[in-house]
Amino acid sequence: MAIISCKINGKDYKLDVDPQMPLLWAIRDVAKLKGTKYGCGVAQCGACVVHLNGEAVRSCVAKVSRAEGQNIVTIEGLSQDNDHPVQLAWQEIDVPQCGYCHSGQIMSAAVLLREKPNPTDEEIDIAMAGNICRCGTYPRVRKAIHLAAEMQSKKGKKA
Amino acid sequence: MKQHSENKTTFSSQFRTIIVVAMTLFVVVAMSPIFYSNPEEIKDLNERLIATGLSNDNKSKDSVESVKAFRNVYKVLMSPRCMNCHPSGDVPLQGDDSHLHTMLPRRGKDGKGLFAMKCANCHQATNTPGLHAPPGNPDWHLPAADMKMVFEGRTPNQLAKQLVDPKQNGHKNLDQLLEHVSDTLVIAGWHPGEGRTKPPMSYEEFKKAWITWIEKGAYAPKQ
């Protein structure tokens, strides 16, 4: 066991955990933030995506030791009032069906819009290819990302 | 009689020397086309060797040994563990059959992926346990977009020439090329994780072949 010090959603945490523990376990079971989901456990589906220093890391395969001294953002901390352009667009388009994969989808989309504020369909497909949705919401995901890009540019707010 | 015998011995010795020199020259001239396709190619390669500083030490050069060593180097570089991250396109390859990487992640400008699909998002500092789970290394990446260092589809001749060309090898000189064999990402090929075969020889054998190939002159096979 070890104490892993990190910041999650702007708050300092000292997690008393096995350093080999998957970051996802620490986020859900120790920090008690349940928005990030477990899907495949081998970095294949994208349900567990969180931001580690701004990158869309798959928390099911990242060891919690990787988070030592780092800054993590989960779906709960993406915005103060659930008003991130991607979250607003997701609501507007009513993207989810069962919803299980969508915290991961949203976290990946947020990284895309930060790096490519007005992505093409192809760029969206490249960025989101690692997020699997068994309900097949892909067309709405793409539509919502375009809408989020539009919202972001109108507000002059970066994702 | 004695005088005549000495003259005969001297003549015989000189004759033998001439024969040996002539045979050596014949062998050198006859063998050269085995390694190079044409004189232009020889000139081209020599220029590259000079540019990398490889041709400074003529004493250690041995085209036969060099090409022989490269055969082993080539076998390793074309194995999935090396070639999968040196693809001809911008999507890495995956598995022992070198299929396109699932999810089709892209190379990106720096070779570290794009947007939400960066290599290190899934590839951790060490191998993830489990069959076919993502292999790991702290510096996991493809070659950068401005120097793709493609292995896929290269013949031994093409790959050897590419490897010694600073314009195609990441601007590496002789020392850097020799050092590259100890790069942790190269060594990672021999720790591939569950469900992946290792390169066709040990790392030590590969390293020996790599060094021999370079130190003997970094010659390119004809084909």
Side-chain angles (χ1 to χ4, degrees), chain B residues 19-74:
Chain B
I19 292 295
V20 168
V21 169
M23 284 178 70
T24 306
L25 280 171
F26 174 77
V27 168
V28 168
V29 170
M31 291 285 280
S32 57
I34 292 173
F35 307 117
Y36 301 108
S37 305
N38 57 58
E40 275 305 304
E41 204 169 312
I42 297 170
K43 183 171 174 284
D44 186 35
L45 181 60
N46 280 342
E47 281 169 2
R48 288 179 198 177
L49 293 174
I50 290 163
T52 56
L54 292 173
S55 67
N56 291 340
D57 182 7
N58 286 325
K59 281 180 283 182
S60 65
K61 285 172 78 175
D62 182 333
S63 57
V64 176
E65 285 300 311
S66 182
V67 167
K68 192 177 160 191
F70 188 75
R71 295 283 178 205
N72 281 334
V73 168
Y74 184 76

Side-chain angles (χ1 to χ4, degrees), chain A residues 25-79:
Chain A
W25 270 227
I27 289 170
R28 286 181 56 88
D29 296 346
V30 183
K32 306 292 182 191
L33 296 163
K34 306 286 189 181
T36 307
K37 305 301 182 194
Y38 173 83
C40 66
V42 285
Q44 295 294 300
C45 76
C48 66
V49 169
V50 299
H51 294 177
L52 195 154
N53 296 337
E55 297 296 352
V57 165
R58 280 145 204 263
S59 60
C60 69
V61 290
K63 289 170 184 163
V64 68
S65 56
R66 187 174 168 184
E68 171 63 38
Q70 309 302 313
N71 191 17
I72 295 159
V73 175
T74 68
I75 186 71
E76 292 92 338
L78 185 61
S79 62

